[in-house]
Amino acid sequence: MTYQIPRGTADLLPDDSPAWQALEQHLKDFCYLYDFREIRTPIFEHTNVFKRENDSSDMVNKEMYTFTLPGSKTSLTIRPEGTAGVVRSFVENKLYASPDLPAKLYYLGPMARHERPQKGRLRIFNQFGVESLGAKSPYADAEVMVLAYSILKSLGLSDIRILLNTLGDDESRSAYRQALKDYFAPYVQDLCGDCKRRYEQNPLRILDCKVDHDLDCMKHAPKMSDYLNEESRTYFRTVCEILDRLEIPYEVEEDLVRGLDYYTHTVFEIVSLNREMGAQSTVLAGGRYDNLIPYFGGPEGMSGIGWALGLERLLIALQAEGISLQEAAGVDCYVMVLDEQARLFAFEVLTALRAAGYQADMDFQGRGLKGQFKAADRAHAKHVLIIGTREFEQQAVTVKNVADQTQETVQAEALIEYLDGQEAAGEHGHHHEGHEEGCQCEACRGE
């Protein structure tokens, strides 16, 4: 029987981990600067956390992994996105009672959606997101967008732009929904099956359809800007003025509605203009939601805004622009064993190195000198620690600095102090040609 990974999933292999770790740390570091703190929520929630009322989104209607507990009617869903779970936790744990709002939170973890796998879009994907909860202010909107844009620019992405729109408040959106229903009424039969459903549930979502995008009726649909009340116009105008003042470039895109039903007022995407991204050009997206906190039982009138990005999609965008994140730095020390009787002593040295905070490894396959040198080279070792019969008898270690090929024999009890001193002062022992195949020094002869 052949065991294979499920379709739409991917293994993160050790050689890929350094780039992921560097990216995750970069995201966390920026959140620290903006005083966003980490929150971790369960990987599954009660289904009604995500499936709310008459939700028209594809995520809710077609893509959720939902299951029922054995012997129970309890319906649970593996989280398809991060916002709903974070808002549920914000309300359940009464974080809204803090005198210092908004609560600024970030999350990182796997999400699951049953959709057609394609480049940058997996069924299990890793998402990073931020949420600013409890204060409705155009400055909070601007803050999360500036954070998002700053993160992407600091990574070196240049072929990006912010697309920005407003969906207005409930009153404005209600008027716009009716205008869209009136407009699309003669064309309903021409729309795809999903849009026929959206017409009844939320006609704004028709504008986001990829199937019907090129129909003539889509090109002349009413614009949201014509149905905004004065409060919504003023709010959006202020958001734009703040971004202008901070010289954050953006384009107002009136067809932008986003894929989730809970958005109100500000919605935005940051897209890559690089051709290699193809149809999956959206790197990051988000918006404000006025009604989600009250839905979960929080205070009426309390709002939030946030965004999320898929790490897989972001790594593809970086690759498309030729940007390489941090590669494996290499181990601090690689312990080489020249004689089997010295192996236990060498393992003691290895353990002591790790206890002192040095990243270290050694050979466990019983390879010869040449094989161990190749292993140390593949590990990008900064120091090679050679232990043979002579070192074992003297309870010492021959330390070779790979960068400048200097070498010195050090008593094992003084090894950590010696390595600390080298790091601090850059001092090395006497020059030696190095332990190569055929080397005749005492350590390599095993004397």
Side-chain angles (χ1 to χ4, degrees):
M1 181 177 180
T2 301
Y3 295 95
Q4 295 180 320
I5 194 169
R7 184 168 182 260
T9 64
D11 292 316
L12 177 59
L13 301 178
D15 286 346
D16 300 320
S17 292
W20 281 73
Q21 291 165 353
L23 177 57
E24 290 170 5
Q25 191 59 52
H26 189 84
L27 294 165
K28 292 178 179 180
D29 288 345
F30 260 85
C31 284
Y32 172 80
L33 294 177
Y34 282 66
D35 196 27
F36 280 73
R37 299 188 296 164
E38 185 176 16
I39 185 170
R40 302 188 187 192
T41 61
I43 197 168
F44 57 81
E45 301 265 2
H46 289 285
T47 298
N48 62 5
V49 168
F50 306 109
K51 192 171 185 177
R52 297 174 298 274
E53 298 175 351
N54 192 29
D55 197 309
S56 68
S57 67
D58 288 348
M59 183 194 78
V60 168
N61 285 276
K62 300 192 296 183
E63 297 170 359
M64 298 202 309
Y65 287 93
T66 297
F67 59 97
T68 302
L69 294 176
S72 169
K73 294 183 180 180
T74 300
S75 178
L76 300 173
T77 295
I78 302 174
R79 61 187 182 194
E81 54 100 4
T83 299
V86 171
V87 175
R88 188 270 312 152
S89 179
F90 172 79
V91 173
E92 183 175 352
N93 293 287
K94 295 183 172 56
L95 300 185
Y96 57 77
S98 169
D100 300 313
L101 295 176
K104 300 197 294 187
L105 310 169
Y106 75 84
Y107 61 86
L108 171 65
M111 311 288 165
R113 298 185 188 181
H114 189 272
E115 53 186 340
R116 184 171 64 86
Q118 51 190 295
K119 182 179 180 181
R121 177 172 286 180
L122 298 175
R123 288 176 172 172
I124 295 180
F125 58 98
N126 293 276
Q127 191 175 84
F128 182 92
V130 305
E131 310 293 345
S132 180
L133 304 171
K136 183 176 180 179
S137 165
Y139 286 91
D141 297 33
E143 180 181 46
V144 299
M145 282 189 278
V146 172
L147 170 59
Y149 185 76
S150 299
I151 286 173
L152 298 183
K153 293 298 288 186
S154 69
L155 287 168
L157 288 176
S158 58
D159 294 341
I160 58 173
R161 65 178 177 180
I162 298 176
L163 303 181
L164 181 64
N165 194 23
T166 178
L167 301 181
D169 59 12
D170 289 343
E171 179 184 75
S172 301
R173 205 165 50 260
S174 178
Y176 186 44
R177 278 201 192 100
Q178 188 57 52
L180 288 174
K181 290 201 74 169
D182 293 343
Y183 173 78
F184 280 113
Y187 307 108
V188 170
Q189 296 309 312
D190 299 327
L191 302 177
C192 70
D194 284 332
C195 282
K196 288 184 175 71
R197 168 177 53 80
R198 293 164 183 157
Y199 177 81
E200 298 298 335
Q201 290 181 299
N202 183 1
L204 273 74
R205 295 279 291 111
I206 296 175
L207 303 177
D208 197 39
C209 182
K210 303 299 185 290
V211 176
D212 294 334
H213 183 266
D214 293 326
L215 294 179
D216 286 339
C217 64
M218 299 290 281
K219 299 174 185 177
H220 305 290
K223 300 297 184 183
M224 181 75 228
S225 57
D226 294 330
Y227 296 87
L228 294 174
N229 58 24
E230 190 55 38
E231 179 183 347
S232 297
R233 289 182 191 279
T234 300
Y235 192 95
F236 187 58
R237 187 184 307 118
T238 304
V239 171
C240 294
E241 288 173 354
I242 296 170
L243 295 177
D244 290 338
R245 184 67 176 266
L246 298 175
E247 298 183 345
I248 303 295
Y250 64 89
E251 296 179 23
V252 175
E253 178 61 68
E254 290 203 58
D255 290 337
L256 180 63
V257 297
R258 296 299 306 137
L260 299 173
D261 277 5
Y262 52 65
Y263 287 123
T264 57
H265 284 290
T266 308
V267 290
F268 59 94
E269 292 182 354
I270 300 184
V271 299
S272 170
L273 305 181
N274 194 291
R275 291 182 178 178
E276 291 188 24
M277 292 295 290
Q280 304 304 319
S281 61
T282 301
V283 178
L284 178 154
R288 175 162 289 284
Y289 37 89
D290 282 349
N291 302 314
L292 204 52
I293 293 175
Y295 172 84
F296 286 112
E300 289 294 330
M302 187 168 280
S303 183
I305 186 169
W307 54 257
L309 61 83
L311 297 186
E312 291 87 350
R313 187 85 59 88
L314 178 52
L315 286 167
I316 291 173
L318 291 169
Q319 185 180 31
E321 292 199 32
I323 300 167
S324 176
L325 294 178
Q326 176 182 327
E327 297 179 355
V331 300
D332 296 311
C333 303
Y334 192 91
V335 180
M336 293 177 55
V337 186
L338 303 184
D339 296 286
E340 194 60 34
Q341 65 176 345
R343 186 168 297 278
L344 179 56
F345 171 57
F347 192 69
E348 290 180 298
V349 170
L350 174 69
T351 303
L353 287 165
R354 290 168 170 171
Y358 283 91
Q359 185 184 17
D361 208 347
M362 68 178 286
D363 171 61
F364 290 98
Q365 300 182 49
R367 288 176 289 199
L369 178 66
K370 183 176 181 180
Q372 290 187 71
F373 264 114
K374 287 182 177 179
D377 185 59
R378 288 191 297 271
H380 304 288
K382 299 172 186 175
H383 296 90
V384 173
L385 277 55
I386 302 166
I387 299 177
T389 301
R390 179 174 67 88
E391 285 84 3
F392 170 61
E393 292 174 348
Q394 297 178 0
Q395 293 291 283
V397 179
T398 298
V399 182
K400 176 179 178 180
N401 184 292
V402 174
D404 60 14
Q405 298 291 292
T406 58
Q407 181 173 301
E408 188 169 345
T409 299
V410 181
Q411 289 300 120
E413 63 185 16
L415 176 61
I416 302 303
E417 182 180 357
Y418 172 78
L419 291 172
D420 288 346
Q422 279 207 324
E423 282 202 351
E427 297 176 356
H428 308 290
H430 63 276
H431 181 74
H432 187 275
E433 292 300 322
H435 291 259
E436 305 296 345
E437 188 176 13
C439 178
Q440 294 301 303
C441 75
E442 290 183 346
C444 289
R445 295 201 309 270
E447 297 178 0

